[in-house]
């Protein structure tokens, strides 16, 4: 329906007891001159805390001004690569 969305991104925050989670979305740049800036989406629902730093797919439904998680699937962990003693995300 009109209120259904499918979202894919990195789970960066979850608080199961309050049914809150945040997913970071990284878009592909639309043109080569500009760099796409990642953004975060706040959702209501439950995803276990052990899936932090995992790439997930969530099915959500809009209810008023909130996005409620109906279902989720874990796609895989996000790996980080160390470079010169700094942690760098591997894309």
């Amino acid at each position: 329906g009109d209120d259904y969305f499918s979202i894919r991104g990195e789970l960066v925050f979850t608080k199961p007891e309050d049914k809150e989670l945040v997913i970071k979305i990284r878009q592909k740049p639309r043109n080569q001159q500009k760099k796409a800036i990642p953004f975060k989406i706040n959702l209501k629902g439950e995803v276990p805390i052990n899936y932090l730093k995992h790439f997930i797919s969530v099915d959500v439904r809009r209810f008023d001004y909130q996005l409620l998680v109906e279902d989720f699937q874990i796609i895989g962990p996000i790996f980080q690569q160390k470079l010169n003693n700094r942690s760098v995300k591997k894309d």
Side-chain angles (χ1 to χ4, degrees):
D2 291 338
D3 295 327
Y4 168 81
F5 298 92
S6 175
I7 301 170
R8 286 183 163 197
E10 178 185 354
L11 182 65
V12 294
F13 175 82
T14 183
K15 194 172 184 183
E17 59 273 9
D18 292 337
K19 297 186 178 187
E20 297 176 356
L21 57 117
V22 177
I23 295 181
K24 182 161 70 170
I25 309 293
R26 291 193 186 118
Q27 292 180 313
K28 195 172 192 176
R30 295 184 193 268
N31 61 35
Q32 308 230 332
Q33 283 108 9
K34 292 186 178 180
K35 183 178 178 185
I37 299 172
F39 62 95
K40 296 177 183 175
I41 296 178
N42 296 318
L43 306 171
K44 284 291 196 181
E46 292 184 61
V47 175
I49 198 162
N50 56 319
Y51 293 122
L52 276 176
K53 302 294 183 193
H54 278 68
F55 191 76
I56 67 171
S57 175
V58 291
D59 297 327
V60 300
R61 191 158 307 272
R62 183 176 56 97
F63 183 74
D64 289 333
Y65 293 101
Q66 292 184 338
L67 294 173
L68 306 176
V69 175
E70 291 185 340
D71 193 20
F72 70 91
Q73 297 170 332
I74 306 302
I75 296 172
I78 303 283
F79 295 105
Q80 292 190 349
Q81 180 181 14
K82 290 211 172 196
L83 181 67
N84 294 337
N85 295 328
R86 290 178 34 211
S87 185
V88 175
K89 294 214 177 198
K90 187 176 183 180
D91 289 321

